[in-house]
PDB file of all heavy atoms in Angstrom:
ATOM      1  N   LYS P 194      -0.160  -4.961  -4.594  1.00 96.00           N
ATOM      2  CA  LYS P 194       1.029  -4.444  -5.247  1.00 96.00           C
ATOM      3  C   LYS P 194       2.156  -5.431  -4.953  1.00 96.00           C
ATOM      4  O   LYS P 194       2.411  -5.774  -3.822  1.00 96.00           O
ATOM      5  CB  LYS P 194       1.407  -3.067  -4.683  1.00 96.00           C
ATOM      6  CG  LYS P 194       0.310  -2.058  -5.000  1.00 96.00           C
ATOM      7  CD  LYS P 194       0.842  -0.635  -4.818  1.00 96.00           C
ATOM      8  CE  LYS P 194      -0.208   0.344  -5.319  1.00 96.00           C
ATOM      9  NZ  LYS P 194       0.357   1.558  -5.765  1.00 96.00           N
ATOM     10  N   ARG P 195       2.842  -5.842  -6.017  1.00 97.00           N
ATOM     11  CA  ARG P 195       3.914  -6.804  -5.882  1.00 97.00           C
ATOM     12  C   ARG P 195       5.216  -6.200  -6.431  1.00 97.00           C
ATOM     13  O   ARG P 195       5.190  -5.417  -7.338  1.00 97.00           O
ATOM     14  CB  ARG P 195       3.680  -8.037  -6.726  1.00 97.00           C
ATOM     15  CG  ARG P 195       2.692  -9.006  -6.097  1.00 97.00           C
ATOM     16  CD  ARG P 195       2.656 -10.334  -6.885  1.00 97.00           C
ATOM     17  NE  ARG P 195       1.769 -11.247  -6.223  1.00 97.00           N
ATOM     18  CZ  ARG P 195       0.472 -11.209  -6.380  1.00 97.00           C
ATOM     19  NH1 ARG P 195      -0.107 -10.317  -7.160  1.00 97.00           N
ATOM     20  NH2 ARG P 195      -0.264 -12.078  -5.737  1.00 97.00           N
ATOM     21  N   GLY P 196       6.338  -6.615  -5.860  1.00 97.00           N
ATOM     22  CA  GLY P 196       7.607  -6.183  -6.350  1.00 97.00           C
ATOM     23  C   GLY P 196       8.733  -6.926  -5.681  1.00 97.00           C
ATOM     24  O   GLY P 196       8.547  -7.596  -4.656  1.00 97.00           O
ATOM     25  N   VAL P 197       9.944  -6.842  -6.275  1.00 97.00           N
ATOM     26  CA  VAL P 197      11.138  -7.377  -5.655  1.00 97.00           C
ATOM     27  C   VAL P 197      11.823  -6.225  -5.019  1.00 97.00           C
ATOM     28  O   VAL P 197      12.125  -5.217  -5.653  1.00 97.00           O
ATOM     29  CB  VAL P 197      11.996  -8.070  -6.716  1.00 97.00           C
ATOM     30  CG1 VAL P 197      13.323  -8.522  -6.082  1.00 97.00           C
ATOM     31  CG2 VAL P 197      11.280  -9.234  -7.358  1.00 97.00           C
ATOM     32  N   TYR P 198      12.053  -6.321  -3.724  1.00 97.00           N
ATOM     33  CA  TYR P 198      12.626  -5.241  -2.917  1.00 97.00           C
ATOM     34  C   TYR P 198      13.982  -5.693  -2.358  1.00 97.00           C
ATOM     35  O   TYR P 198      14.155  -6.876  -2.010  1.00 97.00           O
ATOM     36  CB  TYR P 198      11.699  -4.869  -1.779  1.00 97.00           C
ATOM     37  CG  TYR P 198      10.409  -4.262  -2.247  1.00 97.00           C
ATOM     38  CD1 TYR P 198       9.277  -5.056  -2.518  1.00 97.00           C
ATOM     39  CD2 TYR P 198      10.291  -2.921  -2.413  1.00 97.00           C
ATOM     40  CE1 TYR P 198       8.114  -4.488  -2.948  1.00 97.00           C
ATOM     41  CE2 TYR P 198       9.114  -2.276  -2.838  1.00 97.00           C
ATOM     42  CZ  TYR P 198       8.020  -3.069  -3.108  1.00 97.00           C
ATOM     43  OH  TYR P 198       6.855  -2.548  -3.499  1.00 97.00           O
ATOM     44  N   GLU P 199      14.868  -4.740  -2.245  1.00 96.00           N
ATOM     45  CA  GLU P 199      16.160  -4.957  -1.606  1.00 96.00           C
ATOM     46  C   GLU P 199      15.973  -5.093  -0.104  1.00 96.00           C
ATOM     47  O   GLU P 199      15.010  -4.592   0.473  1.00 96.00           O
ATOM     48  CB  GLU P 199      17.110  -3.801  -1.920  1.00 96.00           C
ATOM     49  CG  GLU P 199      17.494  -3.670  -3.362  1.00 96.00           C
ATOM     50  CD  GLU P 199      18.289  -4.832  -3.926  1.00 96.00           C
ATOM     51  OE1 GLU P 199      19.089  -5.403  -3.125  1.00 96.00           O
ATOM     52  OE2 GLU P 199      18.166  -5.113  -5.120  1.00 96.00           O
ATOM     53  N   LYS P 200      16.976  -5.665   0.574  1.00 95.00           N
ATOM     54  CA  LYS P 200      17.002  -5.722   2.005  1.00 95.00           C
ATOM     55  C   LYS P 200      16.858  -4.297   2.568  1.00 95.00           C
ATOM     56  O   LYS P 200      17.463  -3.355   2.025  1.00 95.00           O
ATOM     57  CB  LYS P 200      18.312  -6.335   2.461  1.00 95.00           C
ATOM     58  CG  LYS P 200      18.572  -6.247   3.951  1.00 95.00           C
ATOM     59  CD  LYS P 200      19.947  -6.799   4.297  1.00 95.00           C
ATOM     60  CE  LYS P 200      20.258  -6.584   5.710  1.00 95.00           C
ATOM     61  NZ  LYS P 200      21.578  -7.129   6.096  1.00 95.00           N
ATOM     62  N   GLY P 201      16.100  -4.158   3.647  1.00 95.00           N
ATOM     63  CA  GLY P 201      15.984  -2.860   4.309  1.00 95.00           C
ATOM     64  C   GLY P 201      14.587  -2.315   4.419  1.00 95.00           C
ATOM     65  O   GLY P 201      13.598  -3.054   4.267  1.00 95.00           O
ATOM     66  N   MET P 202      14.502  -1.039   4.615  1.00 96.00           N
ATOM     67  CA  MET P 202      13.222  -0.294   4.853  1.00 96.00           C
ATOM     68  C   MET P 202      12.678   0.250   3.496  1.00 96.00           C
ATOM     69  O   MET P 202      13.433   0.756   2.711  1.00 96.00           O
ATOM     70  CB  MET P 202      13.501   0.889   5.808  1.00 96.00           C
ATOM     71  CG  MET P 202      12.372   1.782   6.012  1.00 96.00           C
ATOM     72  SD  MET P 202      11.127   1.067   7.119  1.00 96.00           S
ATOM     73  CE  MET P 202       9.906   2.353   7.044  1.00 96.00           C
ATOM     74  N   HIS P 203      11.382   0.088   3.368  1.00 97.00           N
ATOM     75  CA  HIS P 203      10.658   0.556   2.151  1.00 97.00           C
ATOM     76  C   HIS P 203       9.344   1.203   2.513  1.00 97.00           C
ATOM     77  O   HIS P 203       8.784   0.892   3.522  1.00 97.00           O
ATOM     78  CB  HIS P 203      10.390  -0.609   1.196  1.00 97.00           C
ATOM     79  CG  HIS P 203      11.635  -1.361   0.829  1.00 97.00           C
ATOM     80  ND1 HIS P 203      12.486  -0.926  -0.185  1.00 97.00           N
ATOM     81  CD2 HIS P 203      12.203  -2.467   1.329  1.00 97.00           C
ATOM     82  CE1 HIS P 203      13.488  -1.725  -0.292  1.00 97.00           C
ATOM     83  NE2 HIS P 203      13.389  -2.684   0.613  1.00 97.00           N
ATOM     84  N   LYS P 204       8.924   2.148   1.610  1.00 97.00           N
ATOM     85  CA  LYS P 204       7.621   2.781   1.826  1.00 97.00           C
ATOM     86  C   LYS P 204       6.851   2.682   0.521  1.00 97.00           C
ATOM     87  O   LYS P 204       7.390   2.902  -0.565  1.00 97.00           O
ATOM     88  CB  LYS P 204       7.807   4.249   2.234  1.00 97.00           C
ATOM     89  CG  LYS P 204       8.306   4.388   3.596  1.00 97.00           C
ATOM     90  CD  LYS P 204       8.320   5.829   4.041  1.00 97.00           C
ATOM     91  CE  LYS P 204       8.789   5.909   5.467  1.00 97.00           C
ATOM     92  NZ  LYS P 204       8.869   7.285   5.957  1.00 97.00           N
ATOM     93  N   LEU P 205       5.596   2.352   0.635  1.00 96.00           N
ATOM     94  CA  LEU P 205       4.698   2.229  -0.503  1.00 96.00           C
ATOM     95  C   LEU P 205       3.587   3.193  -0.322  1.00 96.00           C
ATOM     96  O   LEU P 205       2.892   3.203   0.681  1.00 96.00           O
ATOM     97  CB  LEU P 205       4.172   0.797  -0.541  1.00 96.00           C
ATOM     98  CG  LEU P 205       3.391   0.293  -1.717  1.00 96.00           C
ATOM     99  CD1 LEU P 205       4.234   0.414  -3.001  1.00 96.00           C
ATOM    100  CD2 LEU P 205       2.886  -1.093  -1.507  1.00 96.00           C
ATOM    101  N   GLU P 206       3.404   4.113  -1.304  1.00 96.00           N
ATOM    102  CA  GLU P 206       2.307   5.070  -1.227  1.00 96.00           C
ATOM    103  C   GLU P 206       1.018   4.500  -1.858  1.00 96.00           C
ATOM    104  O   GLU P 206       1.078   3.924  -2.902  1.00 96.00           O
ATOM    105  CB  GLU P 206       2.651   6.369  -1.903  1.00 96.00           C
ATOM    106  CG  GLU P 206       1.602   7.468  -1.705  1.00 96.00           C
ATOM    107  CD  GLU P 206       2.032   8.839  -2.028  1.00 96.00           C
ATOM    108  OE1 GLU P 206       3.255   9.053  -2.083  1.00 96.00           O
ATOM    109  OE2 GLU P 206       1.151   9.683  -2.265  1.00 96.00           O
ATOM    110  N   ILE P 207      -0.063   4.652  -1.107  1.00 96.00           N
ATOM    111  CA  ILE P 207      -1.387   4.171  -1.613  1.00 96.00           C
ATOM    112  C   ILE P 207      -2.266   5.415  -1.753  1.00 96.00           C
ATOM    113  O   ILE P 207      -2.430   6.176  -0.802  1.00 96.00           O
ATOM    114  CB  ILE P 207      -2.041   3.216  -0.571  1.00 96.00           C
ATOM    115  CG1 ILE P 207      -1.099   2.014  -0.292  1.00 96.00           C
ATOM    116  CG2 ILE P 207      -3.376   2.757  -1.076  1.00 96.00           C
ATOM    117  CD1 ILE P 207      -0.857   1.091  -1.442  1.00 96.00           C
ATOM    118  N   ASP P 208      -2.813   5.587  -2.944  1.00 96.00           N
ATOM    119  CA  ASP P 208      -3.689   6.694  -3.239  1.00 96.00           C
ATOM    120  C   ASP P 208      -5.138   6.260  -3.096  1.00 96.00           C
ATOM    121  O   ASP P 208      -5.512   5.150  -3.520  1.00 96.00           O
ATOM    122  CB  ASP P 208      -3.408   7.248  -4.638  1.00 96.00           C
ATOM    123  CG  ASP P 208      -4.066   8.561  -4.894  1.00 96.00           C
ATOM    124  OD1 ASP P 208      -3.498   9.582  -4.468  1.00 96.00           O
ATOM    125  OD2 ASP P 208      -5.137   8.551  -5.479  1.00 96.00           O
ATOM    126  N   ARG P 209      -5.954   7.162  -2.598  1.00 95.00           N
ATOM    127  CA  ARG P 209      -7.392   6.892  -2.395  1.00 95.00           C
ATOM    128  C   ARG P 209      -8.038   6.342  -3.678  1.00 95.00           C
ATOM    129  O   ARG P 209      -8.878   5.434  -3.656  1.00 95.00           O
ATOM    130  CB  ARG P 209      -8.077   8.173  -1.937  1.00 95.00           C
ATOM    131  CG  ARG P 209      -9.565   8.055  -1.865  1.00 95.00           C
ATOM    132  CD  ARG P 209     -10.247   9.367  -1.563  1.00 95.00           C
ATOM    133  NE  ARG P 209     -11.506   9.066  -0.950  1.00 95.00           N
ATOM    134  CZ  ARG P 209     -11.769   9.302   0.317  1.00 95.00           C
ATOM    135  NH1 ARG P 209     -10.917   9.851   1.122  1.00 95.00           N
ATOM    136  NH2 ARG P 209     -12.985   8.967   0.797  1.00 95.00           N
ATOM    137  N   SER P 210      -7.649   6.910  -4.835  1.00 95.00           N
ATOM    138  CA  SER P 210      -8.268   6.512  -6.136  1.00 95.00           C
ATOM    139  C   SER P 210      -8.008   5.034  -6.479  1.00 95.00           C
ATOM    140  O   SER P 210      -8.760   4.422  -7.201  1.00 95.00           O
ATOM    141  CB  SER P 210      -7.726   7.397  -7.256  1.00 95.00           C
ATOM    142  OG  SER P 210      -6.336   7.244  -7.404  1.00 95.00           O
ATOM    143  N   GLU P 211      -6.947   4.458  -5.909  1.00 94.00           N
ATOM    144  CA  GLU P 211      -6.688   3.012  -6.145  1.00 94.00           C
ATOM    145  C   GLU P 211      -7.625   2.107  -5.420  1.00 94.00           C
ATOM    146  O   GLU P 211      -7.733   0.919  -5.703  1.00 94.00           O
ATOM    147  CB  GLU P 211      -5.270   2.705  -5.705  1.00 94.00           C
ATOM    148  CG  GLU P 211      -4.161   3.437  -6.432  1.00 94.00           C
ATOM    149  CD  GLU P 211      -2.811   3.088  -5.860  1.00 94.00           C
ATOM    150  OE1 GLU P 211      -2.328   1.935  -6.137  1.00 94.00           O
ATOM    151  OE2 GLU P 211      -2.224   3.920  -5.169  1.00 94.00           O
ATOM    152  N   LEU P 212      -8.257   2.613  -4.321  1.00 95.00           N
ATOM    153  CA  LEU P 212      -9.005   1.773  -3.415  1.00 95.00           C
ATOM    154  C   LEU P 212     -10.455   1.518  -3.863  1.00 95.00           C
ATOM    155  O   LEU P 212     -10.991   0.480  -3.532  1.00 95.00           O
ATOM    156  CB  LEU P 212      -8.975   2.380  -1.982  1.00 95.00           C
ATOM    157  CG  LEU P 212      -7.551   2.533  -1.441  1.00 95.00           C
ATOM    158  CD1 LEU P 212      -7.625   3.228  -0.086  1.00 95.00           C
ATOM    159  CD2 LEU P 212      -6.875   1.166  -1.318  1.00 95.00           C
ATOM    160  N   GLY P 213     -11.072   2.460  -4.532  1.00 90.00           N
ATOM    161  CA  GLY P 213     -12.452   2.174  -4.995  1.00 90.00           C
ATOM    162  C   GLY P 213     -13.474   2.099  -3.927  1.00 90.00           C
ATOM    163  O   GLY P 213     -14.567   1.510  -4.137  1.00 90.00           O
ATOM    164  N   VAL P 214     -13.189   2.560  -2.708  1.00 88.00           N
ATOM    165  CA  VAL P 214     -14.157   2.568  -1.633  1.00 88.00           C
ATOM    166  C   VAL P 214     -14.202   4.027  -1.106  1.00 88.00           C
ATOM    167  O   VAL P 214     -13.231   4.750  -1.187  1.00 88.00           O
ATOM    168  CB  VAL P 214     -13.823   1.592  -0.512  1.00 88.00           C
ATOM    169  CG1 VAL P 214     -13.953   0.165  -1.004  1.00 88.00           C
ATOM    170  CG2 VAL P 214     -12.492   1.847   0.081  1.00 88.00           C
ATOM    171  N   SER P 215     -15.344   4.414  -0.565  1.00 88.00           N
ATOM    172  CA  SER P 215     -15.521   5.811  -0.137  1.00 88.00           C
ATOM    173  C   SER P 215     -14.883   6.075   1.220  1.00 88.00           C
ATOM    174  O   SER P 215     -14.284   7.127   1.432  1.00 88.00           O
ATOM    175  CB  SER P 215     -16.969   6.182  -0.107  1.00 88.00           C
ATOM    176  OG  SER P 215     -17.711   5.317   0.740  1.00 88.00           O
ATOM    177  N   SER P 216     -15.037   5.134   2.155  1.00 92.00           N
ATOM    178  CA  SER P 216     -14.470   5.319   3.471  1.00 92.00           C
ATOM    179  C   SER P 216     -14.635   4.047   4.275  1.00 92.00           C
ATOM    180  O   SER P 216     -15.360   3.110   3.844  1.00 92.00           O
ATOM    181  CB  SER P 216     -15.162   6.473   4.224  1.00 92.00           C
ATOM    182  OG  SER P 216     -16.512   6.163   4.458  1.00 92.00           O
ATOM    183  N   GLY P 217     -13.982   3.999   5.413  1.00 95.00           N
ATOM    184  CA  GLY P 217     -14.158   2.832   6.289  1.00 95.00           C
ATOM    185  C   GLY P 217     -12.897   2.189   6.721  1.00 95.00           C
ATOM    186  O   GLY P 217     -11.785   2.626   6.396  1.00 95.00           O
ATOM    187  N   LEU P 218     -13.049   1.135   7.455  1.00 97.00           N
ATOM    188  CA  LEU P 218     -11.922   0.350   7.954  1.00 97.00           C
ATOM    189  C   LEU P 218     -11.398  -0.577   6.865  1.00 97.00           C
ATOM    190  O   LEU P 218     -12.188  -1.237   6.183  1.00 97.00           O
ATOM    191  CB  LEU P 218     -12.378  -0.513   9.161  1.00 97.00           C
ATOM    192  CG  LEU P 218     -11.372  -1.454   9.777  1.00 97.00           C
ATOM    193  CD1 LEU P 218     -10.215  -0.682  10.369  1.00 97.00           C
ATOM    194  CD2 LEU P 218     -12.049  -2.323  10.831  1.00 97.00           C
ATOM    195  N   LEU P 219     -10.093  -0.553   6.685  1.00 97.00           N
ATOM    196  CA  LEU P 219      -9.459  -1.443   5.667  1.00 97.00           C
ATOM    197  C   LEU P 219      -8.332  -2.213   6.376  1.00 97.00           C
ATOM    198  O   LEU P 219      -7.840  -1.816   7.429  1.00 97.00           O
ATOM    199  CB  LEU P 219      -8.858  -0.649   4.503  1.00 97.00           C
ATOM    200  CG  LEU P 219      -9.833   0.215   3.756  1.00 97.00           C
ATOM    201  CD1 LEU P 219      -9.095   1.162   2.809  1.00 97.00           C
ATOM    202  CD2 LEU P 219     -10.820  -0.658   2.993  1.00 97.00           C
ATOM    203  N   TYR P 220      -7.957  -3.300   5.796  1.00 98.00           N
ATOM    204  CA  TYR P 220      -6.829  -4.108   6.299  1.00 98.00           C
ATOM    205  C   TYR P 220      -5.757  -4.152   5.241  1.00 98.00           C
ATOM    206  O   TYR P 220      -6.082  -4.250   4.061  1.00 98.00           O
ATOM    207  CB  TYR P 220      -7.262  -5.522   6.602  1.00 98.00           C
ATOM    208  CG  TYR P 220      -8.285  -5.601   7.724  1.00 98.00           C
ATOM    209  CD1 TYR P 220      -9.632  -5.537   7.464  1.00 98.00           C
ATOM    210  CD2 TYR P 220      -7.887  -5.751   9.037  1.00 98.00           C
ATOM    211  CE1 TYR P 220     -10.568  -5.589   8.485  1.00 98.00           C
ATOM    212  CE2 TYR P 220      -8.768  -5.795  10.080  1.00 98.00           C
ATOM    213  CZ  TYR P 220     -10.147  -5.699   9.796  1.00 98.00           C
ATOM    214  OH  TYR P 220     -11.028  -5.744  10.827  1.00 98.00           O
ATOM    215  N   TYR P 221      -4.500  -4.069   5.630  1.00 98.00           N
ATOM    216  CA  TYR P 221      -3.414  -4.275   4.621  1.00 98.00           C
ATOM    217  C   TYR P 221      -2.511  -5.368   5.150  1.00 98.00           C
ATOM    218  O   TYR P 221      -2.305  -5.541   6.326  1.00 98.00           O
ATOM    219  CB  TYR P 221      -2.636  -2.988   4.355  1.00 98.00           C
ATOM    220  CG  TYR P 221      -1.986  -2.309   5.497  1.00 98.00           C
ATOM    221  CD1 TYR P 221      -0.630  -2.457   5.742  1.00 98.00           C
ATOM    222  CD2 TYR P 221      -2.714  -1.437   6.333  1.00 98.00           C
ATOM    223  CE1 TYR P 221      -0.023  -1.774   6.803  1.00 98.00           C
ATOM    224  CE2 TYR P 221      -2.114  -0.791   7.381  1.00 98.00           C
ATOM    225  CZ  TYR P 221      -0.739  -0.968   7.622  1.00 98.00           C
ATOM    226  OH  TYR P 221      -0.152  -0.307   8.650  1.00 98.00           O
TER     227      TYR P 221
END
């Protein structure tokens, strides 16, 4: 996910359906 963000704190929500994997260890 890419974007231009303003200075400061941000939160990005990730939904399971976006990941295409059933379970396990992931890295972000």
Side-chain angles (χ1 to χ4, degrees):
K194 297 195 173 210
R195 281 190 178 81
V197 175
Y198 293 90
E199 295 294 329
K200 170 184 174 178
M202 173 76 186
H203 302 278
K204 288 185 177 179
L205 188 62
E206 186 166 339
I207 304 294
D208 192 82
R209 175 187 204 109
S210 63
E211 298 176 74
L212 299 175
V214 293
S215 58
S216 64
L218 177 64
L219 301 171
Y220 296 89
Y221 59 100

